[in-house]
Amino acid sequence: MASPRDMVERLRPLVEAHRDRRQAPVRFRPQTWHPWLEPHAAAHVLALGARIGGAGHGDRLISRDDLAALRQEATGNEPDRLRDLFVAVMIWGSGTTNGRGPRYTADALSDPRLPHVLRTTRSAVRAGRLSAAYDGFALRGVGRSFFTKWFAAVDDRGEGDEYALILDNRVFRTLNALGWTSIEAAGTRHRPTRYAAYVQAVHTWAGPLDVPAAWLEWLLFDLNGEVPTP
């Protein structure tokens, strides 16, 4: 497996080529989500973000800044506020390309474990116990690609801490193409430990590359495995 120094050098030309780019807001269609959220008293979340002028479907744009604003409102353990943030994360993660997102979100909202899982995983993430958060997240319809988005959204720690990052298949494709695997990095197939090893690795690479770890995570996602072979 590539060493941290090797990974920094493999990432450097990619970072320099894209350094001025930023993640764009995600487009979503409120009318698609409304029938799935209304029965759970969560349809008001669809007013989040900016409406796209002239869009025939009344589409809106939701960004990471919108998620951060919701996080600021969910300062306590109020179940409704945590639920609203979770719904917003699912919308942001789904956009208009994941047609199963609304149904999976409704499945999670119907899961009686929801309040406990959101509360306890947020606490674990903010305490830096990412492996425990990963191990403790279990809701119907929500897999790793989305619950690590939840981790990233609720983590209020800043640069200088190894805050949570998103890990999905697109990120994995880029890492594997660059010669890095979470199994080798963690020394185990235990998925919670592998997630923590991934977060630590990205933070380790981000420092020498002079970029925020969250931006580097987004670049890995955006590249989707389209990188030069080491």
Side-chain angles (χ1 to χ4, degrees):
M1 187 185 71
S3 69
R5 179 177 295 181
D6 289 338
M7 283 298 295
V8 167
E9 294 312 310
R10 292 174 188 180
L11 286 164
R12 191 178 302 281
L14 300 172
V15 168
E16 294 307 323
H18 298 277
R19 187 179 290 274
D20 294 333
R21 297 179 57 221
R22 295 295 179 268
Q23 185 172 16
V26 173
R27 184 174 186 149
F28 72 97
R29 193 153 291 158
Q31 70 174 19
T32 300
W33 285 82
H34 192 275
W36 297 96
L37 299 182
E38 180 64 24
H40 302 282
H44 58 276
V45 179
L46 297 171
L48 193 67
R51 183 168 184 144
I52 302 174
H57 295 283
D59 292 3
R60 302 182 74 89
L61 295 174
I62 184 171
S63 68
R64 277 193 169 188
D65 288 342
D66 293 317
L67 299 182
L70 266 187
R71 181 182 67 224
Q72 293 302 317
E73 295 178 12
T75 54
N77 286 323
E78 304 93 333
D80 288 351
R81 290 194 180 275
L82 291 180
R83 177 208 60 198
D84 289 352
L85 177 55
F86 170 74
V87 170
V89 169
M90 295 295 287
I91 293 170
W92 177 76
S94 299
T96 58
T97 59
N98 186 348
R100 296 167 295 180
R103 175 165 59 87
Y104 289 162
T105 303
D107 287 344
L109 293 173
S110 299
D111 194 321
R113 298 172 293 180
L114 180 74
H116 174 76
V117 168
L118 297 186
R119 184 179 68 254
T120 57
T121 57
R122 183 184 68 163
S123 295
V125 165
R126 290 183 169 185
R129 297 185 293 112
L130 299 183
S131 180
Y134 192 111
D135 196 43
F137 197 101
L139 289 176
R140 289 194 296 265
V142 186
R144 178 200 65 210
S145 294
F146 279 85
F147 68 68
T148 58
K149 290 178 175 66
W150 164 253
F151 296 167
V154 299
D155 201 338
D156 58 357
R157 297 173 296 161
E159 297 298 328
D161 289 303
E162 289 185 359
Y163 53 83
L165 300 170
I166 298 167
L167 179 59
D168 63 13
N169 291 338
R170 291 172 62 106
V171 171
F172 259 136
R173 287 190 195 103
T174 302
L175 291 173
N176 291 340
L178 290 168
W180 187 92
T181 70
S182 62
I183 293 176
E184 292 185 22
T188 178
R189 290 185 175 273
H190 185 240
R191 292 183 183 274
T193 303
R194 289 165 59 189
Y195 171 67
Y198 152 76
V199 172
Q200 182 181 55
V202 175
H203 280 276
T204 298
W205 305 330
L209 293 168
D210 194 28
V211 294
W215 183 90
L216 183 56
E217 164 231 288
W218 166 75
L219 180 62
L220 296 170
F221 168 87
D222 191 62
L223 292 171
N224 195 20
E226 297 297 323
V227 299
T229 302

